[in-house]
Amino acid sequence: MTSASLTVGFDLDMTLIDSRPGIKAAYEALSAETGTFIDADQAVTRLGPPLDEELAYWFPEAEIPAMAERYREIYPTHAIAPTPAMPGARAAIEAVRALGGRAIVVTAKHEPNARLHLEHLGIRPDAVVGWLWAEAKAEALREYGAQVYVGDHVGDVRGARTAGALSVAVPTGPCPEPQLREAGADVVLPDLTALPEWLAAYVRKQEA
């Protein structure tokens, strides 16, 4: 592998962005609108899996498709502005570019809302692919030829492994380091601030 062929994939929620404040606000708005109790503080401890899985805690199965649609509609109003970048997020994307590579975002989030987050924060990957969770993320990782996938959830580890990519995990979301290692993460960094140094060393090793 040369640095020019390097492609690194990134998860979004709790990897590149701290989406807890925004998602909490969106759930609170949905709760107020529907009159259905949603423990938003509890919901944001489970970020990673698809929206429908969280809504199943609060709504009957028959209502979930409509509630998911409504959540995605109100999401831009409530969730984009309060959501900050994770420490090191911009530098991590820039580190891939500095090595001549491509940075892509592969997320389970509704793709238009994922793009809104990145645009709002001035994070500009080379591609954004949404609506993919866990093993399904391998579809996009293979399509773009990603050698590395960076994420915070065991689902991200499974996606990387399914794609044959190196799984780099950060315990900045709901999954602690031991859980990520047990799931098969190849590398666990403390957070994204450690990625540029690790990535430079990885590329040097691949080129040696």
Side-chain angles (χ1 to χ4, degrees), residues 51-65:
L51 173 63
D52 288 9
E53 292 189 21
E54 182 61 40
L55 292 175
Y57 287 100
W58 314 111
F59 294 96
E61 185 177 353
E63 294 180 18
I64 290 174

Side-chain angles (χ1 to χ4, degrees), residues 99-123:
L99 292 165
R102 296 187 302 171
I104 65 171
V105 172
V106 183
T107 174
K109 189 180 286 298
H110 183 54
E111 190 173 305
N113 289 340
R115 292 180 181 277
L116 287 176
H117 276 299
L118 294 164
E119 289 166 9
H120 176 75
L121 294 169
I123 299 173

Side-chain angles (χ1 to χ4, degrees), residues 1-10 96-97 100-107 111 115 125-130 132 136-149 163-165:
M1 183 195 77
T2 64
S3 57
S5 67
L6 174 69
T7 298
V8 179
F10 291 87
V96 178
R97 296 256 176 73
R102 296 187 302 171
I104 65 171
V105 172
V106 183
T107 174
E111 190 173 305
R115 292 180 181 277
D126 295 284
V128 180
V129 183
L132 295 177
K137 292 188 173 190
E139 299 170 20
L141 297 175
R142 287 196 192 105
E143 179 185 349
Y144 284 91
Q147 294 91 0
V148 177
Y149 185 59

Side-chain angles (χ1 to χ4, degrees), residues 17 56 139 188:
I17 66 173
E139 299 170 20
V188 180

Side-chain angles (χ1 to χ4, degrees), residues 21-182:
I23 288 176
K24 179 182 176 182
Y27 276 129
E28 287 173 343
L30 185 65
S31 177
E33 183 179 297
T34 61
T36 298
F37 172 72
I38 299 174
D39 187 337
D41 288 311
Q42 182 65 28
V44 298
T45 69
R46 294 189 284 250
L47 299 184
L51 173 63
D52 288 9
E53 292 189 21
E54 182 61 40
L55 292 175
Y57 287 100
W58 314 111
F59 294 96
E61 185 177 353
E63 294 180 18
I64 290 174
M67 290 302 102
E69 183 177 357
R70 183 58 185 149
Y71 173 92
R72 292 180 179 119
E73 287 172 353
I74 65 176
Y75 188 96
T77 300
H78 299 279
I80 303 301
T83 297
M86 293 293 279
R90 293 182 186 86
I93 298 289
E94 289 163 7
V96 178
R97 296 256 176 73
L99 292 165
R102 296 187 302 171
I104 65 171
V105 172
V106 183
T107 174
K109 189 180 286 298
H110 183 54
E111 190 173 305
N113 289 340
R115 292 180 181 277
L116 287 176
H117 276 299
L118 294 164
E119 289 166 9
H120 176 75
L121 294 169
I123 299 173
R124 296 180 177 85
D126 295 284
V128 180
V129 183
W131 302 300
L132 295 177
W133 162 240
E135 287 83 357
K137 292 188 173 190
E139 299 170 20
L141 297 175
R142 287 196 192 105
E143 179 185 349
Y144 284 91
Q147 294 91 0
V148 177
Y149 185 59
V150 185
D152 68 284
H153 199 282
V154 294
D156 300 322
V157 176
R158 300 203 309 266
R161 293 179 68 85
T162 302
L166 195 76
S167 170
V168 176
V170 285
T172 50
C175 300
E177 179 175 347
Q179 191 176 359
L180 293 165
R181 290 195 182 279
E182 185 179 349

